[in-house]
Amino acid sequence: MIYQVKADIVKNVRVSSKIYRMELAMPKISSLVKPGQFIHLRINNSFDPLLRRPFSVNKVIKNKKGKVINICVLYEIVGKGTSLLAEKCSGDILDVLGPLGNGFAFNDALLKNKQIILVAGGMGIAPLLFLVERLKDKRTKNKPVIFIGSRTKRDLVCLDEFKKAGCIVKISTDDGSLGFKGYVSELVENFLTNCQPLIPNPYIYACGPSPMLKKVQSIASEYNLKGQVSLDEMMGCGIGACLGCVVKAKTSGAGEDDNQPVYKRICKDGPVFDIQDIQWED
Amino acid sequence: MDLRVNLGRLKLKNPVTTASGTFGYGKEFEDIVALDKLGAVITKTITRLRRPGNPPPRLTETAAGILNAIGLQNEGLDDFIKNKLPQLKAVKTKLIVSVSATDEDDFVYCVQRLEEAGVEAVELNLSCPNIKYSTGVNAGKKMFAQDAQAASALVAGIRKHVKLVLITKLSPNVTDITQIARAVEDAGTDAVSLINTFSAMAIDIKTMRPKLANITGGLSGPAIKPVAVRMVYEVARAVKVPVLGMGGIMNAEDALEFILAGATAVSVGTANFVNPRACPDIINGLVSYCKNKKISSIKDIIGGVKV
């Protein structure tokens, strides 16, 4: 069930130079939302910006009775929409559509005897925090390992929360200001090369920019690993109607009697896909 | 309060319909919108064969508008009739199936099949800016809706074969839209719908590339509304068949402008993305307006602009 609600902003806090976390009160959507799903926010009632903005759920907040009532989203100021969002205060009201998309699969059968590896690039950490919060109850064999890549030390957020959720945190920065200097995909590859025999059955969850996800796909192929990726794209409707936010999918060959491409909707068929489902462009 | 209007032989319970391509096949919105409250559901355009659509990026935002080049992605006529039509027919509102093709044979084939399947009305999409027609001297250069002769021959060719209600969708990318409207009226269309999107372009100055993979796309949204109102006004005065008006309608006030300009009914498009409840909100707004103005039937104000 999809709801369109008016949500009160509980908090809108700056957590780094250009990164904010907004907490919104929306009991109906909160009670249904699963890790990897997103909400579609209308920034204001004007026509510029016109479209809603999609944000994956970063965290859920429970009330004293343990019922999930609020949702947090994490966003970076990148344009007009996010700039206006950063100016919002607690008590302001936003029009919200959700929960949307399909979310991560993380059932017991899937994760049995698996070592969970999470890969986050930039704001890709957002949905992975909610995921590891829910994985805590899973009692997987080893602690999940999360690889977080960012441009610079200043843009690293949520690190303590990942540690609190029981993750081992490995960091890379483009400028080398903290952790490994280079891309997070290189860090993952180094880790797998050095530790693979010691780590049985790694299973990947990744979210980040397309070049990173493409690299993660090729690493997964090379090491024969399974996993899921979450995609981030500009959207129209957010509910699968407009076909504006598509990605090219790999075709199976079987049942496809022609060579036409197959485009899948990120908002409805995703945003989470099997790591091997996407046909990345060269 | 009587909101009923007649789009030719098609009797609508109210004048609010969903613009093709912005409402999927209705199902996508059913959690949020009671479909049976709508005047009509107009589907995403169907073509004879499956179309994969254009490569991404397909959609970008502009000031008070959006630019799209979806490329008529759809699973084809057979899939529509088998998998989508039964659910749509079960909804207690009128259904208008949008259909497109690049030549007359495919158009006739699709419309005939839809009539056989019990469809009461089709919107002939002659004006998708991402599709050009494929026969004749202007093959590959123009849309049907940019060529009065080609549009007229096409509509007449379809009219010969079917009895269902034909609504012909026109393009604003012409020098005189009334000329095309008159041509398709003479060819036997039951109504005209306008306007489709404007051919347009946006460039990313960081990458120095077009923002859409298709280079150009169709502009819709509030940015185009005043042009759409003007075109509806001109066409409504030029033809006798009813006009289905659209172009940037966001709320009831916008819908009323189109009705006053001469639209018998309206389609809501881009607004569905911004506010999925736009259509029911607009219907409620029309009721309030009529109450306040003591208008007993919405029909009384169609084309009622005082000039």
Side-chain angles (χ1 to χ4, degrees):
Chain A
M1 186 73 189
I2 298 167
Y3 292 100
Q4 184 182 359
V5 300
K6 300 282 182 209
D8 276 343
I9 297 174
V10 180
K11 283 180 208 160
N12 189 22
V13 183
R14 187 170 149 180
V15 293
S16 132
S17 60
K18 282 190 162 185
I19 300 171
Y20 286 69
R21 182 184 261 167
M22 180 181 277
E23 182 178 341
L24 292 150
M26 46 177 129
K28 261 196 235 167
I29 294 175
S30 303
S31 66
L32 295 172
V33 73
K34 293 178 291 192
Q37 287 190 302
F38 68 95
I39 56 175
H40 215 17
L41 302 185
R42 188 165 176 192
I43 305 289
N44 57 30
N45 290 328
S46 87
F47 297 149
D48 194 14
L50 183 62
L51 292 171
R52 289 168 180 267
R53 297 290 189 265
F55 295 99
S56 58
V57 174
N58 175 234
K59 198 178 164 124
V60 292
I61 308 288
K62 293 175 181 172
N63 66 8
K64 283 175 191 158
K65 289 178 185 161
K67 194 175 173 309
V68 175
I69 50 163
N70 296 351
I71 279 176
C72 294
V73 295
L74 195 69
Y75 62 95
E76 180 176 16
I77 298 180
V78 290
K80 192 174 218 166
T82 42
S83 298
L84 290 167
L85 208 55
E87 291 168 13
K88 304 276 177 188
C89 305
S90 64
D92 287 351
I93 290 169
L94 289 180
D95 186 314
V96 183
L97 204 56
L100 302 177
N102 62 0
F104 292 109
F106 55 99
N107 53 61
D108 293 332
L110 182 73
L111 297 180
K112 199 179 173 195
N113 297 325
K114 296 284 197 321
Q115 165 66 53
I116 293 166
I117 290 183
L118 304 124
V119 188
M123 297 311 292
I125 52 163
L128 298 180
L129 182 64
F130 185 23
L131 176 65
V132 297
E133 295 272 357
R134 290 283 160 96
L135 285 174
K136 269 197 298 198
D137 317 326
K138 292 283 170 194
R139 303 192 166 276
T140 45
K141 216 171 176 185
N142 300 308
K143 286 183 167 186
V145 182
I146 180 159
F147 297 87
I148 302 175
S150 87
R151 280 168 304 230
T152 176
K153 182 183 167 182
R154 221 181 37 241
D155 294 339
L156 287 160
V157 293
C158 301
L159 299 185
D160 290 342
E161 286 163 293
F162 278 108
K163 284 176 194 159
K164 237 186 200 168
C167 294
I168 296 167
V169 178
K170 309 254 179 200
I171 288 163
S172 74
T173 49
D174 294 354
D175 64 359
S177 52
L178 192 71
F180 173 80
K181 183 175 190 293
Y183 290 133
V184 69
S185 49
E186 297 171 69
L187 187 59
V188 174
E189 201 161 16
N190 293 348
F191 177 82
L192 289 170
T193 311
N194 298 330
C195 313
Q196 235 250 324
L198 305 172
I199 300 184
N201 287 321
Y203 189 89
I204 299 177
Y205 292 100
C207 184
S210 301
M212 182 200 101
L213 296 180
K214 183 183 171 186
K215 188 75 188 135
V216 169
Q217 183 186 64
S218 77
I219 293 171
S221 305
E222 193 183 329
Y223 289 87
N224 200 22
L225 309 180
K226 291 195 167 30
Q228 300 163 45
V229 291
S230 178
L231 273 56
D232 183 13
E233 184 56 78
M234 142 114 210
M235 288 177 187
C237 65
I239 56 176
C242 75
L243 313 184
C245 64
V246 297
V247 62
K248 198 190 257 183
K250 283 187 186 163
T251 44
S252 56
E256 306 285 340
D257 49 6
D258 53 18
N259 291 321
Q260 288 185 329
V262 172
Y263 294 110
K264 290 195 174 174
R265 301 165 296 183
I266 292 174
C267 68
K268 186 82 178 180
D269 303 313
V272 177
F273 293 92
D274 186 278
I275 208 164
Q276 295 300 345
D277 273 359
I278 311 298
Q279 179 67 58
W280 296 108
E281 302 292 335
D282 294 325
Chain B
M1 187 63 46
D2 186 1
L3 288 185
R4 288 175 302 171
V5 294
N6 298 330
L7 208 52
R9 293 170 283 146
L10 194 68
K11 294 181 173 20
L12 309 183
K13 65 178 86 168
N14 66 62
V16 179
T17 71
T18 60
S20 178
T22 64
F23 207 70
Y25 303 97
K27 197 177 166 42
E28 294 85 346
F29 282 79
E30 68 188 357
D31 282 355
I32 296 160
V33 177
L35 301 180
D36 58 357
K37 296 282 185 282
L38 303 172
V41 170
I42 304 182
T43 66
K44 168 103 184 126
T45 297
I46 312 300
T47 52
R48 181 172 183 168
L49 299 176
R50 173 183 179 271
R51 283 181 62 97
N54 291 329
R58 292 176 171 184
L59 184 79
T60 188
E61 196 178 39
T62 57
I66 57 173
L67 194 53
N68 87 81
I70 309 299
L72 299 187
Q73 177 177 343
N74 78 100
E75 292 301 310
L77 182 70
D78 288 341
D79 171 81
F80 174 77
I81 291 173
K82 187 164 170 261
N83 299 322
K84 298 180 176 102
L85 187 57
Q87 285 173 326
L88 280 164
K89 279 166 91 175
V91 178
K92 288 191 168 42
T93 185
K94 294 296 179 182
L95 169 67
I96 301 170
V97 179
S98 173
V99 54
S100 195
T102 57
D103 63 39
E104 186 178 323
D105 289 349
D106 275 4
F107 251 122
V108 170
Y109 177 84
C110 289
V111 176
Q112 274 186 316
R113 287 275 313 275
L114 289 167
E115 184 167 68
E116 284 161 22
V119 170
E120 201 182 345
V122 293
E123 183 179 64
L124 304 171
N125 182 0
L126 311 192
S127 47
C128 173
N130 305 314
I131 305 289
K132 307 286 184 272
Y133 67 80
S134 61
T135 51
V137 282
N138 289 314
K141 290 184 202 150
K142 285 185 171 184
M143 316 173 214
F144 279 109
Q146 284 176 318
D147 181 333
Q149 247 178 335
S152 156
L154 175 72
V155 172
I158 298 168
R159 181 78 283 172
K160 267 197 311 221
H161 293 91
V162 292
K163 292 200 174 61
L164 49 60
V165 175
L166 295 178
I167 303 165
T168 305
K169 189 161 182 178
L170 306 181
S171 171
N173 302 299
V174 292
T175 41
D176 182 3
I177 195 167
T178 62
Q179 189 200 348
I180 316 283
R182 276 194 295 262
V184 296
E185 178 182 44
D186 291 345
T189 195
D190 293 278
V192 288
S193 57
L194 61 136
I195 53 175
N196 207 320
T197 56
F198 283 90
S199 184
M201 183 170 178
I203 297 168
D204 183 334
I205 59 163
K206 271 186 232 155
T207 61
M208 299 186 178
R209 290 172 193 272
K211 287 192 178 176
L212 298 180
N214 194 54
I215 302 173
T216 61
L219 182 66
S220 65
I224 72 167
K225 194 193 75 178
V227 192
V229 172
R230 188 265 295 173
M231 287 185 165
V232 164
Y233 174 73
E234 288 176 354
V235 168
R237 296 177 138 219
V239 298
K240 292 189 185 69
V241 292
V243 174
L244 174 59
M246 72 198 79
I249 295 176
M250 299 301 286
N251 49 43
E253 290 77 12
D254 294 342
L256 284 158
E257 275 194 64
F258 280 83
I259 293 168
L260 288 166
T264 297
V266 295
S267 288
V268 178
T270 301
N272 294 314
F273 305 162
V274 180
N275 171 22
R277 267 199 293 257
C279 288
D281 285 355
I282 289 170
I283 295 165
N284 294 337
L286 294 182
V287 171
S288 309
Y289 177 82
C290 289
K291 273 186 188 156
N292 290 339
K293 285 261 187 191
K294 299 196 172 26
I295 295 160
S296 58
S297 168
I298 193 96
K299 289 190 195 111
D300 297 344
I301 62 163
I302 295 170
V305 60
K306 297 169 185 171
V307 289

Short mmCIF file of all heavy atoms in Angstrom, two decimals, chain B residues 162-203:
data_model
loop_
_atom_site.label_atom_id
_atom_site.label_comp_id
_atom_site.label_asym_id
_atom_site.label_seq_id
_atom_site.Cartn_x
_atom_site.Cartn_y
_atom_site.Cartn_z
N VAL B 162 -13.83 1.50 -38.46
CA VAL B 162 -14.32 1.34 -37.07
C VAL B 162 -15.44 2.32 -36.74
O VAL B 162 -15.56 3.39 -37.34
CB VAL B 162 -13.17 1.55 -36.05
CG1 VAL B 162 -12.15 0.44 -36.13
CG2 VAL B 162 -12.51 2.92 -36.21
N LYS B 163 -16.23 1.91 -35.74
CA LYS B 163 -17.34 2.77 -35.29
C LYS B 163 -17.00 3.48 -33.97
O LYS B 163 -17.67 4.42 -33.58
CB LYS B 163 -18.59 1.92 -35.09
CG LYS B 163 -19.16 1.34 -36.38
CD LYS B 163 -20.62 0.94 -36.17
CE LYS B 163 -21.27 0.50 -37.48
NZ LYS B 163 -20.61 -0.69 -38.08
N LEU B 164 -15.99 3.00 -33.25
CA LEU B 164 -15.75 3.54 -31.90
C LEU B 164 -15.39 5.03 -31.95
O LEU B 164 -15.18 5.61 -33.02
CB LEU B 164 -14.66 2.73 -31.16
CG LEU B 164 -13.33 2.40 -31.84
CD1 LEU B 164 -12.58 3.65 -32.23
CD2 LEU B 164 -12.47 1.58 -30.90
N VAL B 165 -15.36 5.64 -30.79
CA VAL B 165 -15.11 7.08 -30.70
C VAL B 165 -13.63 7.35 -30.98
O VAL B 165 -12.75 6.76 -30.34
CB VAL B 165 -15.50 7.61 -29.30
CG1 VAL B 165 -15.11 9.08 -29.15
CG2 VAL B 165 -16.98 7.40 -29.04
N LEU B 166 -13.38 8.21 -31.95
CA LEU B 166 -11.99 8.58 -32.29
C LEU B 166 -11.69 9.98 -31.77
O LEU B 166 -12.39 10.93 -32.11
CB LEU B 166 -11.78 8.58 -33.81
CG LEU B 166 -11.90 7.27 -34.57
CD1 LEU B 166 -11.69 7.52 -36.07
CD2 LEU B 166 -10.86 6.26 -34.06
N ILE B 167 -10.67 10.07 -30.95
CA ILE B 167 -10.20 11.37 -30.47
C ILE B 167 -8.80 11.55 -31.05
O ILE B 167 -7.94 10.68 -30.86
CB ILE B 167 -10.15 11.40 -28.93
CG1 ILE B 167 -11.53 11.06 -28.34
CG2 ILE B 167 -9.65 12.76 -28.43
CD1 ILE B 167 -11.50 10.73 -26.87
N THR B 168 -8.57 12.61 -31.78
CA THR B 168 -7.27 12.77 -32.44
C THR B 168 -6.43 13.78 -31.67
O THR B 168 -6.85 14.91 -31.44
CB THR B 168 -7.48 13.24 -33.90
OG1 THR B 168 -8.34 12.30 -34.55
CG2 THR B 168 -6.16 13.33 -34.64
N LYS B 169 -5.23 13.33 -31.27
CA LYS B 169 -4.38 14.19 -30.44
C LYS B 169 -3.42 15.00 -31.31
O LYS B 169 -2.65 14.44 -32.09
CB LYS B 169 -3.60 13.35 -29.42
CG LYS B 169 -2.88 14.23 -28.39
CD LYS B 169 -2.51 13.45 -27.16
CE LYS B 169 -1.84 14.31 -26.11
NZ LYS B 169 -1.53 13.55 -24.90
N LEU B 170 -3.48 16.30 -31.12
CA LEU B 170 -2.74 17.23 -31.98
C LEU B 170 -1.46 17.73 -31.32
O LEU B 170 -1.33 17.74 -30.10
CB LEU B 170 -3.64 18.42 -32.31
CG LEU B 170 -5.00 18.09 -32.93
CD1 LEU B 170 -5.77 19.37 -33.22
CD2 LEU B 170 -4.85 17.24 -34.19
N SER B 171 -0.57 18.18 -32.18
CA SER B 171 0.73 18.69 -31.73
C SER B 171 0.75 20.21 -31.75
O SER B 171 0.21 20.84 -32.67
CB SER B 171 1.82 18.17 -32.66
OG SER B 171 3.04 18.82 -32.37
N PRO B 172 1.41 20.82 -30.76
CA PRO B 172 1.57 22.27 -30.80
C PRO B 172 2.74 22.69 -31.69
O PRO B 172 2.92 23.89 -31.93
CB PRO B 172 1.88 22.60 -29.34
CG PRO B 172 2.63 21.41 -28.84
CD PRO B 172 2.01 20.22 -29.56
N ASN B 173 3.49 21.72 -32.18
CA ASN B 173 4.69 22.04 -32.97
C ASN B 173 4.33 22.29 -34.43
O ASN B 173 4.84 21.62 -35.34
CB ASN B 173 5.72 20.91 -32.84
CG ASN B 173 6.12 20.66 -31.40
OD1 ASN B 173 6.67 21.54 -30.74
ND2 ASN B 173 5.82 19.48 -30.89
N VAL B 174 3.42 23.22 -34.65
CA VAL B 174 2.95 23.56 -36.00
C VAL B 174 2.74 25.07 -36.07
O VAL B 174 2.64 25.73 -35.03
CB VAL B 174 1.60 22.84 -36.31
CG1 VAL B 174 1.80 21.35 -36.43
CG2 VAL B 174 0.55 23.17 -35.26
N THR B 175 2.65 25.57 -37.30
CA THR B 175 2.42 27.01 -37.42
C THR B 175 0.95 27.37 -37.18
O THR B 175 0.65 28.40 -36.62
CB THR B 175 2.84 27.53 -38.81
OG1 THR B 175 2.44 26.58 -39.78
CG2 THR B 175 4.33 27.75 -38.88
N ASP B 176 0.03 26.49 -37.62
CA ASP B 176 -1.39 26.77 -37.40
C ASP B 176 -2.12 25.50 -36.99
O ASP B 176 -2.46 24.66 -37.82
CB ASP B 176 -2.00 27.36 -38.68
CG ASP B 176 -3.46 27.72 -38.50
OD1 ASP B 176 -3.99 27.57 -37.36
OD2 ASP B 176 -4.09 28.13 -39.49
N ILE B 177 -2.38 25.37 -35.70
CA ILE B 177 -2.99 24.14 -35.20
C ILE B 177 -4.45 24.01 -35.66
O ILE B 177 -4.96 22.90 -35.80
CB ILE B 177 -2.84 24.04 -33.65
CG1 ILE B 177 -3.14 22.61 -33.16
CG2 ILE B 177 -3.69 25.08 -32.94
CD1 ILE B 177 -2.73 22.33 -31.74
N THR B 178 -5.11 25.14 -35.94
CA THR B 178 -6.52 25.05 -36.36
C THR B 178 -6.65 24.37 -37.72
O THR B 178 -7.65 23.70 -37.99
CB THR B 178 -7.18 26.45 -36.44
OG1 THR B 178 -6.50 27.23 -37.44
CG2 THR B 178 -7.11 27.18 -35.11
N GLN B 179 -5.63 24.54 -38.54
CA GLN B 179 -5.65 23.92 -39.88
C GLN B 179 -5.66 22.39 -39.75
O GLN B 179 -6.40 21.69 -40.44
CB GLN B 179 -4.41 24.40 -40.64
CG GLN B 179 -4.38 24.03 -42.09
CD GLN B 179 -2.95 24.09 -42.65
OE1 GLN B 179 -2.02 24.60 -42.03
NE2 GLN B 179 -2.79 23.55 -43.84
N ILE B 180 -4.83 21.87 -38.84
CA ILE B 180 -4.76 20.43 -38.63
C ILE B 180 -6.07 19.95 -37.99
O ILE B 180 -6.62 18.91 -38.34
CB ILE B 180 -3.57 20.05 -37.71
CG1 ILE B 180 -2.29 20.81 -38.10
CG2 ILE B 180 -3.36 18.55 -37.68
CD1 ILE B 180 -1.57 20.32 -39.29
N ALA B 181 -6.58 20.73 -37.05
CA ALA B 181 -7.82 20.36 -36.36
C ALA B 181 -8.97 20.24 -37.36
O ALA B 181 -9.75 19.28 -37.33
CB ALA B 181 -8.16 21.40 -35.28
N ARG B 182 -9.06 21.22 -38.26
CA ARG B 182 -10.13 21.17 -39.27
C ARG B 182 -9.96 19.98 -40.21
O ARG B 182 -10.93 19.33 -40.57
CB ARG B 182 -10.15 22.48 -40.08
CG ARG B 182 -10.95 23.59 -39.38
CD ARG B 182 -11.24 24.73 -40.33
NE ARG B 182 -10.02 25.39 -40.75
CZ ARG B 182 -9.55 26.52 -40.21
NH1 ARG B 182 -10.23 27.12 -39.26
NH2 ARG B 182 -8.42 27.04 -40.60
N ALA B 183 -8.72 19.68 -40.55
CA ALA B 183 -8.45 18.55 -41.46
C ALA B 183 -8.93 17.23 -40.85
O ALA B 183 -9.57 16.43 -41.51
CB ALA B 183 -6.97 18.49 -41.80
N VAL B 184 -8.64 17.03 -39.57
CA VAL B 184 -9.04 15.75 -38.96
C VAL B 184 -10.54 15.74 -38.64
O VAL B 184 -11.17 14.68 -38.62
CB VAL B 184 -8.19 15.37 -37.71
CG1 VAL B 184 -6.74 15.14 -38.12
CG2 VAL B 184 -8.30 16.40 -36.61
N GLU B 185 -11.11 16.91 -38.44
CA GLU B 185 -12.57 16.98 -38.27
C GLU B 185 -13.26 16.54 -39.56
O GLU B 185 -14.17 15.71 -39.54
CB GLU B 185 -13.01 18.41 -37.92
CG GLU B 185 -14.53 18.55 -37.78
CD GLU B 185 -14.98 19.97 -37.48
OE1 GLU B 185 -14.45 20.91 -38.10
OE2 GLU B 185 -15.84 20.13 -36.59
N ASP B 186 -12.80 17.08 -40.67
CA ASP B 186 -13.38 16.71 -41.97
C ASP B 186 -13.19 15.22 -42.25
O ASP B 186 -14.00 14.61 -42.95
CB ASP B 186 -12.72 17.52 -43.11
CG ASP B 186 -13.11 18.99 -43.04
OD1 ASP B 186 -14.08 19.31 -42.31
OD2 ASP B 186 -12.43 19.81 -43.69
N ALA B 187 -12.14 14.65 -41.72
CA ALA B 187 -11.85 13.23 -41.96
C ALA B 187 -12.67 12.33 -41.05
O ALA B 187 -12.60 11.10 -41.15
CB ALA B 187 -10.36 12.96 -41.78
N GLY B 188 -13.42 12.92 -40.12
CA GLY B 188 -14.35 12.11 -39.34
C GLY B 188 -13.97 11.83 -37.90
O GLY B 188 -14.54 10.93 -37.27
N THR B 189 -13.02 12.58 -37.32
CA THR B 189 -12.73 12.36 -35.91
C THR B 189 -13.91 12.84 -35.07
O THR B 189 -14.61 13.78 -35.46
CB THR B 189 -11.42 13.07 -35.48
OG1 THR B 189 -11.00 12.54 -34.22
CG2 THR B 189 -11.60 14.58 -35.33
N ASP B 190 -14.14 12.18 -33.92
CA ASP B 190 -15.25 12.57 -33.06
C ASP B 190 -14.88 13.73 -32.14
O ASP B 190 -15.75 14.43 -31.64
CB ASP B 190 -15.66 11.39 -32.17
CG ASP B 190 -16.26 10.27 -33.00
OD1 ASP B 190 -17.45 10.35 -33.32
OD2 ASP B 190 -15.52 9.31 -33.34
N ALA B 191 -13.57 13.88 -31.88
CA ALA B 191 -13.11 14.94 -31.00
C ALA B 191 -11.63 15.16 -31.27
O ALA B 191 -10.97 14.31 -31.88
CB ALA B 191 -13.31 14.56 -29.54
N VAL B 192 -11.11 16.30 -30.84
CA VAL B 192 -9.67 16.52 -30.92
C VAL B 192 -9.14 16.74 -29.51
O VAL B 192 -9.84 17.30 -28.66
CB VAL B 192 -9.29 17.74 -31.81
CG1 VAL B 192 -9.50 17.41 -33.29
CG2 VAL B 192 -10.06 18.98 -31.42
N SER B 193 -7.93 16.28 -29.24
CA SER B 193 -7.32 16.54 -27.95
C SER B 193 -6.02 17.31 -28.20
O SER B 193 -5.30 17.05 -29.15
CB SER B 193 -7.07 15.25 -27.18
OG SER B 193 -6.27 14.36 -27.90
N LEU B 194 -5.79 18.31 -27.34
CA LEU B 194 -4.61 19.13 -27.50
C LEU B 194 -4.31 19.87 -26.20
O LEU B 194 -5.23 20.15 -25.45
CB LEU B 194 -4.79 20.12 -28.67
CG LEU B 194 -5.94 21.13 -28.55
CD1 LEU B 194 -5.48 22.51 -28.97
CD2 LEU B 194 -7.11 20.70 -29.43
N ILE B 195 -3.01 20.09 -25.94
CA ILE B 195 -1.90 19.86 -26.83
C ILE B 195 -0.98 18.74 -26.30
O ILE B 195 -0.95 18.50 -25.09
CB ILE B 195 -1.03 21.15 -26.99
CG1 ILE B 195 -0.62 21.68 -25.61
CG2 ILE B 195 -1.77 22.19 -27.77
CD1 ILE B 195 0.34 22.87 -25.63
N ASN B 196 -0.32 18.08 -27.24
CA ASN B 196 0.77 17.19 -26.83
C ASN B 196 1.95 18.10 -26.43
O ASN B 196 1.83 19.32 -26.39
CB ASN B 196 1.14 16.26 -27.99
CG ASN B 196 1.74 14.95 -27.50
OD1 ASN B 196 2.53 14.94 -26.56
ND2 ASN B 196 1.38 13.85 -28.14
N THR B 197 3.10 17.50 -26.14
CA THR B 197 4.24 18.28 -25.63
C THR B 197 4.94 19.07 -26.74
O THR B 197 4.82 18.75 -27.92
CB THR B 197 5.27 17.35 -24.99
OG1 THR B 197 5.65 16.37 -25.95
CG2 THR B 197 4.72 16.69 -23.75
N PHE B 198 5.68 20.07 -26.31
CA PHE B 198 6.51 20.86 -27.23
C PHE B 198 7.86 20.19 -27.39
O PHE B 198 8.49 19.81 -26.40
CB PHE B 198 6.75 22.26 -26.66
CG PHE B 198 5.58 23.18 -26.81
CD1 PHE B 198 4.63 23.25 -25.81
CD2 PHE B 198 5.43 23.97 -27.93
CE1 PHE B 198 3.53 24.09 -25.93
CE2 PHE B 198 4.34 24.81 -28.06
CZ PHE B 198 3.38 24.88 -27.06
N SER B 199 8.33 20.12 -28.62
CA SER B 199 9.68 19.63 -28.85
C SER B 199 10.66 20.62 -28.22
O SER B 199 10.58 21.83 -28.48
CB SER B 199 9.90 19.52 -30.36
OG SER B 199 11.17 18.96 -30.58
N ALA B 200 11.55 20.12 -27.38
CA ALA B 200 12.40 21.03 -26.60
C ALA B 200 13.72 20.36 -26.24
O ALA B 200 13.92 19.17 -26.50
CB ALA B 200 11.66 21.44 -25.33
N MET B 201 14.61 21.14 -25.63
CA MET B 201 15.96 20.64 -25.36
C MET B 201 16.54 21.31 -24.11
O MET B 201 16.25 22.47 -23.84
CB MET B 201 16.85 20.95 -26.57
CG MET B 201 18.26 20.43 -26.48
SD MET B 201 19.07 20.62 -28.10
CE MET B 201 20.71 20.02 -27.72
N ALA B 202 17.35 20.57 -23.38
CA ALA B 202 18.07 21.13 -22.23
C ALA B 202 19.50 20.59 -22.25
O ALA B 202 19.72 19.43 -22.62
CB ALA B 202 17.38 20.75 -20.93
N ILE B 203 20.45 21.43 -21.86
CA ILE B 203 21.87 21.05 -21.94
C ILE B 203 22.51 21.16 -20.56
O ILE B 203 22.30 22.13 -19.84
CB ILE B 203 22.61 21.96 -22.95
CG1 ILE B 203 22.05 21.76 -24.35
CG2 ILE B 203 24.13 21.67 -22.94
CD1 ILE B 203 22.50 22.80 -25.37
#
